[in-house]
Amino acid sequence: MSKHSAFPPRIEHVLDAIPGVSLTKLRGDVSTRQFFRLQFADSQEAQEFLHTCSEAAELAQDFAGLDKPQERSLIAMLLPENGSARASRLIVDVGRYIQSCGVPVPKTYLAIHQMGFLVIEDLGDTRLIDLIEQAGLRNAMDIYRAAIEYLVRMQFPSAEVPRDCTAYSYSFSADRFLWELNRFTELFSRIVLKRKLSQSEQSIIDRDFRAICSEMMSQELLFTHRDYHSRNLMIKNGRPCVIDFQDARLGPILYDIASLIFDPYVALGRDDQQELFDHYFSLLVARSRNDLRRLGLNRALCVCTIQRCLKAAGTYLSVVGLRRNSELVRYLPRALANALQAARRSAGLVGLGNMLAHWLDAANEFLKAHQS
């Protein structure tokens, strides 16, 4: 069997004809996409590979980047067969929009949509979370500030940036937010609590979750990355580069900033979170067309934080249920702790806060048992 058998047959044959190419499968998180690092003898061989792939596809070339790779290393992305053509187009389309906002994304060198096959720029292996683990949080604060500036650029693009991006055709909804919260609740009760919810717990969920989702959808709806956190910011040449943006859509103005500064993957202190939100707020005031009330924004940030962190907790638990990449479950307590802090800062959510405090204890006990 060819060592390139994971690829579509025509691409496999192209790779088989390049004797010196090195292939390394990269580890993903919970994505069903597959990523491979292809290393060639030099950038010229990498360019020839792209040209030959396009010819071998026997299709009209769906997309070719204006830039030619200057490095000998490329990243090949394979999308799952179901819906791969649509997903491929979304990656190209949303990436083009983000780049037009002046925000770095990996360059797309080739996309053959019908195969679900893309070749993109190799950004290396250092994510924001890796930088923090290696160099400490103090050395990552400038990256956070840059990421916040990028976020505001995407939310409030300049007049010359076209609004024809596919992301503007889709929107979050209160029903979608509620579904994510209910999914978390079902998984948490089954996997962690190992019991059905009590009547009082169900009453709190029915009341407070609906209120949270309704409040979120009352915010101004802007371009939303949907997964803007430390694992989706790569560091190249000392600056962040945004990845994993294919699910972008219209969403609450504070959704992405909540995702970034209340990210369960990173233990940001309260002072750091406040400093970063202050930075975001100052940029927002300069860009937004609306009269912003800081008190209202604090409440809006809290409801986004609760929903976003519990949604993330549901993702970690779903991975546990599928018995893959279970190391993500170690972030479960921090996700609940962030949601708990936000609930305690929100009037009218005392019952939810008390429930989450008990659930946080259960999550810590579950993690101990899971790691033993």
Side-chain angles (χ1 to χ4, degrees):
M1 179 182 291
S2 165
K3 65 178 181 178
H4 307 126
S5 58
F7 293 89
R10 292 170 185 168
I11 306 301
E12 176 188 356
H13 295 154
V14 174
L15 286 167
D16 286 344
I18 306 175
V21 65
S22 169
L23 173 70
T24 305
K25 186 171 184 179
L26 304 179
R27 184 183 178 189
D29 282 340
V30 296
S31 173
T32 54
R33 290 163 290 158
Q34 297 183 74
F35 296 89
F36 300 85
R37 175 170 284 125
L38 303 175
Q39 291 184 301
F40 300 89
D42 51 37
S43 61
Q44 181 62 38
E45 188 174 76
Q47 293 172 24
E48 290 173 359
F49 162 73
L50 294 174
H51 177 72
T52 309
C53 281
S54 180
E55 290 184 337
E58 295 180 2
L59 296 167
Q61 184 146 308
D62 292 304
F63 178 84
L66 296 177
D67 299 307
K68 292 183 178 180
Q70 300 304 310
E71 296 94 6
R72 68 184 189 93
S73 181
L74 303 173
I75 299 297
M77 183 192 310
L78 287 178
L79 305 177
E81 289 186 12
N82 186 24
S84 62
R86 177 181 176 275
S88 177
R89 290 187 178 93
L90 281 173
I91 291 169
V92 172
D93 182 53
V94 178
R96 185 189 290 122
Y97 167 80
I98 295 175
Q99 195 169 34
S100 72
C101 294
V103 175
V105 297
K107 297 171 185 173
T108 300
Y109 296 124
L110 178 70
I112 303 174
H113 297 317
Q114 294 304 318
M115 289 185 180
F117 177 73
L118 298 94
V119 181
I120 63 175
E121 178 184 4
D122 188 348
L123 298 174
D125 298 311
T126 304
R127 304 164 297 178
L128 175 55
I129 187 174
D130 301 315
L131 177 66
I132 293 168
E133 290 174 353
Q134 295 163 10
L137 182 59
R138 290 300 101 203
N139 292 305
M141 291 302 284
D142 285 344
I143 298 294
Y144 269 107
R145 294 185 191 95
I148 289 171
E149 290 162 15
Y150 292 167
L151 173 56
V152 174
R153 288 184 200 174
M154 291 186 285
Q155 291 183 316
F156 297 96
S158 57
E160 60 269 18
V161 175
R163 306 302 198 277
D164 57 354
C165 174
T166 310
Y168 282 89
S169 303
Y170 299 96
S171 175
F172 274 119
S173 67
D175 286 343
R176 177 65 192 186
F177 286 138
L178 186 59
W179 181 88
E180 291 173 346
L181 289 173
N182 287 335
R183 178 171 177 264
F184 154 72
T185 303
E186 186 275 324
L187 290 168
F188 192 83
S189 63
R190 175 165 55 86
I191 296 174
V192 179
L193 299 177
K194 300 186 186 304
R195 61 171 174 81
K196 291 184 178 181
L197 298 182
S198 68
Q199 187 174 356
S200 62
E201 288 172 325
Q202 192 62 56
S203 176
I204 290 169
I205 286 169
D206 290 342
R207 180 190 67 236
D208 292 348
F209 280 4
R210 287 188 180 279
I212 286 168
C213 297
S214 177
E215 285 189 46
M216 289 175 70
M217 289 306 297
S218 70
Q219 297 179 30
E220 183 177 4
L221 301 183
L222 300 173
F223 178 91
T224 304
H225 177 285
R226 198 186 183 188
D227 216 10
Y228 204 63
H229 57 67
S230 59
R231 287 186 175 225
N232 286 333
L233 291 164
M234 303 295 297
I235 311 301
K236 185 174 184 180
N237 298 327
R239 67 173 185 170
C241 188
V242 178
I243 63 170
D244 203 22
F245 42 72
Q246 67 282 342
D247 291 328
R249 63 196 59 208
L250 294 177
I253 183 173
L254 297 183
Y255 185 89
D256 277 347
I257 189 64
S259 177
L260 181 65
I261 66 177
F262 295 100
D263 173 8
Y265 295 127
V266 178
L268 279 174
R270 187 75 185 99
D271 290 344
D272 292 323
Q273 291 168 340
Q274 190 64 57
E275 177 188 337
L276 292 173
F277 185 69
D278 288 344
H279 181 55
Y280 175 74
F281 182 75
S282 67
L283 296 173
L284 209 59
V285 169
R287 290 262 192 162
S288 178
R289 302 172 296 277
N290 297 331
D291 179 24
L292 297 169
R293 297 284 191 272
R294 181 60 182 268
L295 184 62
L297 276 185
N298 284 336
R299 167 73 182 199
L301 179 66
C302 286
V303 295
C304 284
T305 300
I306 294 168
Q307 199 282 338
R308 172 66 198 176
C309 287
L310 295 184
K311 185 265 183 187
T315 299
Y316 308 153
L317 289 171
S318 69
V319 173
V320 172
L322 294 172
R323 298 184 182 278
R324 59 184 176 90
N325 201 10
S326 59
E327 64 96 10
L328 288 178
V329 78
R330 67 190 174 103
Y331 301 106
L332 177 64
R334 192 177 294 148
L336 265 67
N338 286 346
L340 169 60
Q341 290 174 12
R344 284 178 169 168
R345 295 196 303 271
S346 303
L349 296 179
V350 175
L352 178 61
N354 291 336
M355 184 184 76
L356 289 176
H358 291 299
W359 285 12
L360 176 57
D361 291 339
N364 282 316
E365 290 301 316
F366 172 78
L367 184 59
K368 289 179 185 177
H370 185 78
Q371 292 177 331
S372 62

